[in-house]
Amino acid sequence: MSANNPSGWAVPGSRIYWRINLALFLAGFSTFSLLYCVQPLMPMFAQQFQIGAAESSLALSLSTGCLALAILCAGALSEGRDRRWVMFGSMALAATCNLAAALVNDWHTLLVARALAGLSLGGVPAVAMAYLADEIDPRGLGLSIGLYVSGTAFGGMAGRVGTSMLADVWSWHTALASLSVLDLAAALGFALLLPASRHAAVKRQGLPLAQHLRIWRGQLTAPALPLLFMIGCVCMGVFVTIYNYAGFRLLAPPFGLSPTQIGLIFCVYVFGMAASSAAGGLADRLGQSPVLIAGILATAVGVLLTLWPHLIGAIGGLVILTIGFFMTHAVASGWVGRMAGAHKGHAASLYLLAYYLGSSVLGSVGGWFWEHGGWLGVCLFALASTGIMLSCALKLRRSRMSMPSTSAAVPPSSATAASNA
């Protein structure tokens, strides 16, 4: 702390500012690469362990489900503690659990390891945004959040693409082990780069459990917030469902793609990353409701286009679906922050709980539709789900609660940090 910076914040352009940004980029990369690295491996799991597509999706669904529960309480538990070590411990433990999953040949043991990895990862998304809000000068906070989000997006994409390519050349064991070692190195780099929390020690201690429950109950009975929670839940569920079973479809005739080729399709995430930023700007000018509805409709169009039995339709549909998902999620998560008033952290934790439960539950339920109705069944399930989202969005619009959005720059909403899952 200096006379020129009495607050002790990390100011834009300073050495400590860029150390924090790089460290949090590594945290985002590690978290989402570990979480989603198994998605392109599901057909391999189904073949080796002689299980169905729905059961193979548990390798991801258990992780996201456990992450949802962990996020709900990790933020409160981090109060008064050095957040650097909370996040480092989460990253290192999750990478170790994922390494254990790579070394086993028993399906149920693999699932236990993946569930523990998801549970461990809860300490990163819940704490990262609080650390940035406490330590970064407000003039540079937007850039810091953007870099963290970029790390999550890059990690989610790299984890999927990297493991699919390594598994195609060697095996899924090698793919998961290699990624786990890389993420252990990322955790070490994170710990060396990130300064200790300088403001967490002076923050008040966490609220009593009864107070947390009272706030959450109030938010769940509010007129609009539950609609946004439902949109986040279903939006993520549709997105994960389509990507979970697209691999099974693209491996089979008439496509017959290799695991590497399927993995490269995840590069369409770059369109979603751009759409997320664009959605915030559009919501600033047009309001949240029209942009939210446009994102939901784009999601439905993307699902319909994948029904075209041609590779152009399959990839083009995934591109439009991805754009629609990122638009929807970016606006919904930012709108939660605007509506939550003084308790943004509680609202963000409920949104993330719904978001990851959607991934976990709907992602696995979609497997039943794949096994009993093929790709048409999956798409009908996804379209029915988008109908639920559209109904919620229209109710929000009719309630006339739309206001000028600042969703692209609402740092208190931890949900925004997960928008590139």
Side-chain angles (χ1 to χ4, degrees):
M1 186 179 300
S2 67
N4 294 328
N5 184 26
S7 66
W9 278 325
V11 297
S14 65
R15 183 170 179 269
I16 194 171
Y17 176 79
W18 288 112
R19 282 181 59 190
I20 291 173
N21 284 335
L22 180 55
L24 267 296
F25 180 90
L26 290 175
F29 172 87
S30 177
T31 301
F32 284 86
S33 62
L34 285 170
L35 189 62
Y36 290 102
C37 63
V38 295
Q39 194 170 46
L41 305 180
M42 290 176 188
M44 299 181 189
F45 294 155
Q47 181 178 14
Q48 175 166 339
F49 296 108
Q50 297 298 298
I51 55 177
E55 189 174 352
S56 73
S57 72
L58 291 175
L60 175 59
S61 295
L62 283 176
S63 297
T64 53
C66 288
L67 174 62
L69 298 175
I71 283 175
L72 196 60
C73 57
L77 293 176
S78 72
E79 290 291 344
R81 296 177 173 83
D82 189 336
R83 292 187 172 114
R84 171 180 57 173
W85 296 115
V86 173
M87 289 186 280
F88 168 74
S90 294
M91 294 165 65
L93 184 57
T96 301
C97 291
N98 203 61
L99 181 60
L103 300 177
V104 301
N105 281 302
D106 176 73
W107 175 239
H108 294 99
T109 305
L110 185 150
L111 292 181
V112 170
R114 286 289 300 171
L116 291 174
L119 196 64
S120 303
L121 284 173
V124 181
V127 177
M129 301 305 286
Y131 178 96
L132 288 173
D134 282 344
E135 307 298 329
I136 298 291
D137 188 300
R139 294 170 297 176
L141 186 55
L143 175 60
S144 295
I145 291 174
L147 289 172
Y148 172 68
V149 169
S150 297
T152 67
F154 183 64
M157 184 173 67
R160 292 168 167 102
V161 174
T163 52
S164 62
M165 294 178 70
L166 289 172
D168 198 17
V169 176
W170 286 289
S171 68
W172 66 262
H173 297 277
T174 302
L176 288 186
S178 299
L179 181 71
S180 301
V181 171
L182 177 62
D183 284 322
L184 281 171
L188 180 60
F190 168 88
L192 293 174
L193 284 167
L194 193 72
S197 305
R198 290 171 293 174
H199 297 91
V202 299
K203 288 177 69 69
R204 61 177 171 80
Q205 294 298 311
L207 296 171
L209 177 60
Q211 182 75 348
H212 287 294
L213 294 176
R214 184 188 67 79
I215 294 169
W216 280 324
R217 183 172 62 251
Q219 292 175 336
L220 287 171
T221 55
L225 279 173
L227 296 173
L228 290 171
F229 298 154
M230 178 61 72
I231 289 172
C233 172
V234 178
C235 180
M236 184 57 165
V238 169
F239 185 66
V240 169
T241 294
I242 293 297
Y243 271 98
N244 274 358
Y245 307 106
F248 289 91
R249 184 192 185 210
L250 294 173
L251 277 171
F255 304 107
L257 300 185
S258 69
T260 295
Q261 291 170 324
I262 294 173
L264 288 173
I265 290 174
F266 287 106
C267 290
V268 302
Y269 262 51
V270 298
F271 294 98
M273 293 161 61
S276 180
S277 299
L282 286 172
D284 286 340
R285 297 190 296 273
L286 305 176
Q288 293 98 331
S289 286
V291 182
L292 185 65
I293 291 170
I296 294 170
L297 292 176
T299 301
V301 170
V303 172
L304 285 170
L305 187 55
T306 65
L307 287 169
W308 184 15
H310 191 283
L311 190 58
I312 294 175
I315 297 176
L318 289 176
V319 169
I320 297 174
L321 167 78
T322 302
I323 291 172
F325 162 74
F326 276 90
M327 287 178 64
T328 304
H329 179 45
V331 175
S333 62
W335 205 354
V336 166
R338 291 286 292 173
M339 288 185 176
H343 300 293
K344 292 179 173 63
H346 288 80
S349 66
L350 285 177
Y351 182 88
L352 286 171
L353 174 65
Y355 180 79
Y356 284 112
L357 283 179
S359 170
S360 178
V361 176
L362 298 184
S364 288
V365 170
W368 185 91
F369 289 89
W370 166 256
E371 291 173 351
H372 293 83
W375 189 248
L376 177 61
V378 170
C379 290
L380 290 175
F381 171 67
L383 289 170
S385 300
T386 58
I388 295 173
M389 285 194 287
L390 184 60
S391 175
C392 291
L394 291 174
K395 286 181 181 179
L396 282 168
R397 185 176 185 176
R398 285 195 297 268
S399 69
R400 298 183 180 277
M401 300 189 71
S402 180
M403 63 186 70
S405 172
T406 54
S407 61
V410 179
S413 175
S414 298
T416 305
S419 65
N420 291 303

